[in-house]
Amino acid sequence: MAGILDTVDQRTQLVGENRLEILMFRLAGRQLFAINVFKVQEVLQLPKLTLMPQRHPFVCGVINLRGQTLPVIDLSQAIGMRALVPSPASTIIVTEYNRSVQAFLVGGVDRIVNMNWEAILPPPTSAGRQHYLTAISKVDDQLVEIIDVEKVLAEIVPYNAKVSREKLDDPVLEHARGREVLLVDDSNVAISQLRDTLGQLGVKMHVASDGLKALNLLKGWADTGVNMTDKLLMVFTDAEMPEMDGYRLTTEIRNDPRLRGLYVVLHTSLSGSFNDSMVKKVGCDNFLSKFQPDKLVDVVRQRLMLDQVLAG
């Protein structure tokens, strides 16, 4: 399985095509779960596990992987299911989210599937585990639940949305007060972080839970004759979302003359060297990994400085 994950260059070709690859796995039962392959570094048997005193209840312990110490998180227990029992035969999925690397203990890995984002749907309100899901889909008539890993990680290590006083005292940021921004993300945790951080700047926020909803909202405003670059200071969009991802959303924005001038920031938990080529391919103006409040404010400042330069 680890060898299948080495073809990152091939996966970057999916960018802008509204497609993704998911790694499917099981936890404590027969239900299939999944995460985006872009987040996965490797899949392997559990190395020697070292227990830690006063560890979080969801953390089984730590492992040493090629000189790097990684926490091992029981993903089953973290989403409210029966805890898994670690053993030398156990499987772990090593992932990178928001510049941090961790391993998830799982019941067993199924396979990798290439899918269209249009086949990835928001979870129904009746879903018992909806609290920890960002989406659902079907593969070979089997329901696949896509886990909100950002929420899982935020419950283990809560995110910090507080902006440093030094940043907030910047007079340039006064020009953000009262301006409007659009936030596009299917993760409630990510939206909360954006709201908490940007709220300190006094901006007005509109929210859409996926790229298709965001595009319809933008086109609806444009249909009324609104000058979109005057209306919106910027758009923050996640990469992975049901129905339409952030890359396709950006492509659609650039293809609509009424929306083309919008300042679009790809705000994602994806990290790695391939992000630069992704951003350039679809035409984003900026890229930012999630849960970095000061850097988020820096991006807003860059946008405001651009206005000042254009104004002469």
Side-chain angles (χ1 to χ4, degrees):
M1 178 64 71
I4 299 176
L5 305 176
D6 294 336
T7 56
V8 170
D9 288 342
Q10 294 177 25
R11 289 181 169 79
T12 61
Q13 301 305 312
L14 301 176
V15 173
E17 304 300 325
N18 211 40
R19 298 191 67 83
L20 80 158
E21 286 184 306
I22 58 173
L23 173 62
M24 300 193 302
F25 53 89
R26 289 182 169 84
L27 295 175
R30 295 184 56 80
Q31 173 61 44
L32 281 170
F33 297 91
I35 58 175
N36 193 324
V37 168
F38 266 134
K39 308 288 183 68
V40 178
Q41 290 190 349
E42 57 186 309
V43 177
L44 66 158
Q45 279 193 319
L46 178 65
K48 181 183 177 183
L49 187 68
T50 302
L51 300 182
M52 298 164 44
Q54 300 179 328
R55 65 186 185 274
H56 190 281
F58 301 159
V59 177
C60 306
V62 297
I63 58 171
N64 186 288
L65 189 61
R66 292 183 290 277
Q68 188 176 18
T69 301
L70 305 180
V72 178
I73 298 165
D74 182 345
L75 192 52
S76 181
Q77 188 178 11
I79 67 168
M81 297 178 64
R82 174 169 51 86
L84 298 171
V85 180
S87 76
S90 295
T91 300
I92 59 170
I93 303 174
V94 180
T95 66
E96 182 177 357
Y97 284 81
N98 303 315
R99 307 164 317 285
S100 71
V101 180
Q102 54 281 310
F104 289 111
L105 182 71
V106 298
V109 166
D110 187 84
R111 57 190 155 131
I112 289 174
V113 178
N114 184 311
M115 302 187 71
N116 191 304
W117 270 112
E118 292 170 359
I120 309 293
L121 303 174
T125 54
S126 59
R129 282 184 293 272
Q130 185 186 11
H131 198 48
Y132 291 98
L133 303 181
T134 58
I136 59 170
S137 189
K138 276 197 171 183
V139 176
D140 298 336
D141 291 325
Q142 283 188 285
L143 181 68
V144 180
E145 299 184 347
I146 299 176
I147 294 177
D148 186 352
V149 179
E150 291 170 9
K151 178 169 180 57
V152 171
L153 295 176
E155 290 188 350
I156 296 171
V157 182
Y159 68 82
N160 174 25
K162 187 173 178 58
V163 181
S164 66
R165 174 50 55 187
E166 175 187 347
K167 296 287 183 185
L168 290 177
D169 286 343
D170 189 329
V172 172
L173 294 177
E174 279 298 314
H175 298 283
R177 191 164 300 278
R179 297 295 302 272
E180 297 179 48
V181 299
L182 175 61
L183 315 178
V184 191
D185 205 303
D186 61 331
S187 169
N188 289 331
V189 172
I191 288 293
S192 293
Q193 183 259 339
L194 282 168
R195 282 188 181 278
D196 291 349
T197 300
L198 294 173
Q200 296 169 66
L201 305 182
V203 300
K204 179 181 177 181
M205 289 165 271
H206 305 276
V207 175
S209 58
D210 63 61
L212 184 58
K213 289 185 178 69
L215 184 63
N216 289 336
L217 185 61
L218 291 170
K219 287 180 177 290
W221 284 329
D223 287 344
T224 66
V226 172
N227 184 311
M228 294 303 295
T229 52
D230 288 344
K231 178 175 179 61
L232 289 179
L233 178 66
M234 56 209 309
V235 176
F236 290 94
T237 180
D238 188 20
E240 307 173 73
M241 293 176 289
E243 299 196 79
M244 180 183 289
D245 65 21
Y247 306 116
R248 172 55 68 86
L249 171 61
T250 305
T251 299
E252 294 292 337
I253 287 172
R254 298 301 180 229
N255 288 339
D256 189 324
R258 305 169 303 169
L259 309 178
R260 187 173 295 154
L262 287 171
Y263 191 93
V264 180
V265 180
L266 189 67
H267 182 245
T268 173
S269 56
L270 288 169
S271 51
S273 59
F274 50 78
N275 273 315
D276 288 339
S277 59
M278 288 179 176
V279 169
K280 290 175 184 175
K281 180 175 179 180
V282 298
C284 293
D285 295 286
N286 217 321
F287 166 81
L288 179 67
S289 292
K290 290 180 180 178
F291 309 118
Q292 301 183 89
D294 278 5
K295 290 190 177 181
L296 181 60
V297 170
D298 284 341
V299 169
V300 175
R301 187 184 189 280
Q302 290 172 30
R303 173 68 184 95
L304 291 168
M305 290 298 295
L306 182 60
D307 271 354
Q308 293 185 11
V309 169
L310 292 176

